[in-house]
Amino acid sequence: MTAGFSGQISDDHDVAQAPGGLLTEAWARIAARMKSEVGEVEYRTWLQQIVLGPVDGDEVTLLLPTRFLRDWVRSQYGDRLSTLWNQEIPALRRVELQVMRPGDRPAAATAEQAVPVASGRRVADVPEAPAPVVERVQDARSDLVAPLDPRFTFDSFVVGKPNEFAYACARRVAEKPSSPGFNPLFLYGGVGLGKTHLMHAIGSELTREGRVSVAYMSAEKFMYRFIGAIRSQSTIEFKEQLRSVDVLMIDDLQFLIGKDNTQEEFFHTFNALVDAGRQIVVSADKSPSDLSGLEDRLRTRLGCGMVADIHATTFELRISILEAKATASGVPVPAKVLEFLAHKITTNVRELEGALNRLIAHANLFGRPVTLEATQEVLHDILKAHDRRVTIEEIQRKVSEHWNIRLTDMSSARRARAVARPRQVAMYLAKQLTSRSLPEIGRKFGNRDHTTVMHAVQRVTELMERDTAFAEDVELLRRMLES
Ligand SMILES: Nc1ncnc2c1ncn2[C@@H]1O[C@H](COP(=O)(O)OP(=O)(O)OP(=O)(O)O)[C@@H](O)[C@H]1O
């Protein structure tokens, strides 16, 4: 155990007097210790969602989002958590586990977010939104029970151009499961763009009245369940359980690539359910046709219903999401901070949310307002990792290669569309991926005026919203340049 508080808090001190930062650090160490003891997967499933709550006298409170989780953590990890807290703060008499209520103000956010900024964490460690705990069937007939994340509802999902189609499809399935043309519903898109959120929203909506049984699980869990059933010679029960549900939702299906036996089992379950008029919802990082490595017959069946893509976020959507989350937190966050974040963190909503959560936790802990300066300080590690070092020359080169035009045409006066459109894309990417101003970008493109660059950015944004293939091209280029 690390030195913790020794020398700073003695037995006869009130724990509540401990400076907030020290408590947070103690919590970060305890969480890190738990992670190393139970392993990454178990930690993410059960412990990552714990939030450090208020400290009162000699009692510290840990908050959990659901009763189920609270009970589970209490029964499985309660003693260990108490011991670790006690090692950190000997004055502590009690560790209380409570269900978070709306309006609960955490003393810090999750342990991940409590880690001091100076610890040099990189973007991969940016606090994620709590990993949704897998599986649930709201039905006594089955024991595939686990909670859906109560925060992932349709109401808390912010809709914008990139996700409106997927959102509409999800709503439709939640209203009328097994409608022709919507079975299966296949949701796909990049990391952290809201696929799991939408699946949980469907599940919560359907189970609200308690009439429909919904089983939700990650593909990974599906595989482990299946292997477990084989080992314990209970595959028949496993199959029966799965086939008794009204709606089966499998998240992150790409996990089944290369797992032939599990794929086969899933294929049969899939057929049995669809043939019986039950609804299937699947998510993956790619469209069915691009999931090479899945059996052809499975890919074909997956593509038979409704396939809905969640596109990369736009600046506007990122702003709306940040606004919604900041409002829900009750901490005032100035518009310019939200804009700054939306400009800087463009990859996925989970990272964006993690950054905002850290800011909010910081503001709550130290009672200081959120300002642009504080943001740069608190998030310096995240922002550094997102600092793009792409040059305009690189962008021009990649874009010219992609559309097979001459590099010199990036600066030439030629206005033929075959040349002008790639040039506009390059200007758009220069605006998105570098910190150059519009006039600076204009200068690099044959001394064009800044209004030309502005027009190019608008035009490309509009085209991306209208033309999926074009949007994918631009996204691909962006990813290539960022990697
Ligand atoms: N449109 C949105 N509105 C509100 N929150 C969102 C939105 N999109 C994503 N989020 C939030 O971002 C986080 C990541 O989303 P989610 O877990 O659903 O992503 P995912 O697409 O399933 O990612 P992965 O590929 O890692 O499975 C969640 O906390 C989710 O609530």
Side-chain angles (χ1 to χ4, degrees):
M1 195 71 217
T2 46
F5 279 44
S6 45
Q8 285 159 359
I9 297 181
S10 71
D11 271 2
D12 45 26
H13 274 76
D14 187 338
V15 176
Q17 301 303 311
L22 294 180
L23 273 174
T24 326
E25 285 174 27
W27 171 223
R29 279 192 294 273
I30 291 167
R33 176 69 179 257
M34 290 298 284
K35 194 191 239 172
S36 73
E37 288 180 6
V38 303
E40 179 78 28
V41 172
E42 197 172 320
Y43 177 83
R44 281 172 63 95
T45 309
W46 303 112
L47 299 166
Q48 185 167 284
Q49 305 195 53
I50 303 178
V51 164
L52 178 59
V55 179
D56 188 8
D58 55 3
E59 186 178 286
V60 65
T61 306
L62 300 179
L63 301 169
L64 283 131
T66 62
R67 208 163 56 155
F68 175 89
L69 261 184
R70 194 265 322 263
D71 293 346
W72 182 263
V73 169
R74 184 182 279 159
S75 65
Q76 305 296 313
Y77 310 102
D79 290 348
R80 188 65 188 139
L81 280 170
S82 294
T83 309
L84 290 177
W85 268 107
N86 218 261
Q87 284 172 8
E88 285 281 346
I89 311 176
L92 199 74
R93 299 274 172 262
R94 214 170 122 75
V95 178
E96 178 68 14
L97 289 164
Q98 269 180 21
V99 181
M100 212 179 289
R101 289 171 311 235
D104 256 347
R105 276 285 171 80
T110 57
E112 318 282 310
Q113 287 154 294
V115 174
V117 175
S119 65
R121 282 144 45 81
R122 300 193 50 78
V123 67
D125 300 319
V126 170
E128 291 187 348
V133 181
V134 285
E135 293 179 88
R136 125 154 147 187
V137 172
Q138 286 261 340
D139 186 34
R141 282 174 300 171
S142 163
D143 72 351
L144 294 175
V145 181
L148 290 167
D149 193 314
R151 294 162 312 161
F152 292 174
T153 61
F154 284 123
D155 283 348
S156 64
F157 191 81
V158 180
V159 187
K161 279 257 179 276
N163 59 27
E164 64 185 3
F165 183 62
Y167 173 83
C169 293
R171 274 229 101 118
R172 169 67 189 261
V173 166
E175 273 154 28
K176 252 178 140 208
S178 312
S179 312
F182 285 84
N183 200 12
L185 171 62
F186 189 101
L187 298 169
Y188 79 96
V191 173
L193 296 182
K195 302 180 291 294
T196 302
H197 188 134
L198 282 180
M199 291 177 101
H200 281 237
I202 296 174
S204 297
E205 195 74 18
L206 283 170
T207 52
R208 216 166 32 171
E209 314 266 304
R211 280 174 289 118
V212 178
S213 59
V214 178
Y216 164 85
M217 70 182 86
S218 64
E220 185 180 6
K221 193 77 175 185
F222 181 88
M223 187 183 86
Y224 288 123
R225 284 264 174 175
F226 177 52
I227 292 172
I230 294 174
R231 280 215 194 102
S232 60
Q233 300 183 332
S234 58
T235 44
I236 296 184
E237 287 90 329
F238 176 68
K239 284 174 209 260
E240 274 172 4
Q241 274 174 4
L242 280 173
R243 287 164 205 194
S244 72
V245 300
D246 298 316
V247 180
L248 175 65
M249 303 204 275
I250 302 287
D251 209 350
D252 289 327
L253 194 79
Q254 70 276 2
F255 182 82
L256 295 192
I257 288 176
K259 324 274 187 333
D260 295 350
N261 292 339
T262 314
Q263 266 184 52
E264 166 114 21
E265 183 53 39
F266 176 66
F267 181 71
H268 293 310
T269 305
F270 181 104
N271 288 338
L273 285 171
V274 174
D275 291 349
R278 314 283 171 77
Q279 175 76 47
I280 306 261
V281 182
V282 168
S283 88
D285 62 349
K286 297 193 192 67
S287 68
S289 52
D290 286 337
L291 280 174
S292 46
L294 279 193
E295 271 188 62
D296 285 349
R297 57 181 186 164
L298 179 55
R299 281 198 284 157
T300 311
R301 288 227 69 178
L302 287 169
C304 272
M306 181 56 69
V307 176
D309 182 0
I310 307 189
H311 295 281
T313 55
T314 55
F315 177 72
E316 288 71 22
L317 179 60
R318 290 196 293 280
I319 287 283
S320 308
I321 291 173
L322 286 170
E323 276 171 355
K325 300 206 186 261
T327 307
S329 79
V331 172
V333 184
K336 61 175 187 277
V337 169
L338 300 183
E339 279 169 27
F340 176 74
L341 290 181
H343 264 304
K344 283 284 183 183
I345 305 176
T346 54
T347 38
N348 81 53
V349 180
R350 189 178 291 126
E351 286 189 7
L352 199 60
E353 207 179 28
L356 183 68
N357 284 344
R358 200 199 279 188
L359 275 186
I360 289 169
H362 199 267
N364 275 330
L365 271 172
F366 297 107
R368 278 195 230 127
V370 178
T371 60
L372 202 50
E373 294 70 44
T375 303
Q376 280 165 330
E377 197 186 306
V378 174
L379 301 179
H380 88 271
D381 56 337
I382 302 179
L383 298 172
K384 205 164 134 211
H386 278 266
D387 250 356
R388 307 183 188 105
R389 276 170 221 101
V390 184
T391 62
I392 294 183
E393 288 72 18
E394 261 176 273
I395 295 173
Q396 292 177 328
R397 193 156 16 87
K398 269 272 182 293
V399 173
S400 315
E401 278 166 15
H402 185 77
W403 273 292
N404 215 5
I405 63 169
R406 286 187 311 235
L407 183 58
T408 47
D409 277 331
M410 285 288 152
S411 324
S412 75
R414 287 183 62 201
R415 299 175 71 166
R417 182 180 288 183
V419 173
R421 185 59 37 82
R423 192 190 295 131
Q424 286 180 324
V425 170
M427 290 184 194
Y428 167 89
L429 288 171
K431 181 76 193 87
Q432 295 265 320
L433 302 182
T434 73
S435 51
R436 302 287 175 169
S437 64
L438 295 176
E440 279 175 309
I441 297 173
R443 275 199 289 282
K444 298 266 186 184
F445 285 82
N447 270 330
R448 285 179 159 81
D449 191 69
H450 76 277
T451 52
T452 310
V453 183
M454 210 154 69
H455 173 74
V457 172
Q458 277 163 4
R459 187 84 191 105
V460 172
T461 308
E462 279 161 22
L463 278 174
M464 284 176 75
E465 280 165 6
R466 282 214 310 265
D467 181 343
T468 319
F470 177 72
E472 275 168 11
D473 262 357
V474 178
E475 272 312 314
L476 180 75
L477 278 164
R478 179 219 285 270
R479 258 179 260 144
M480 285 186 332
L481 284 159
E482 278 182 328
S483 59

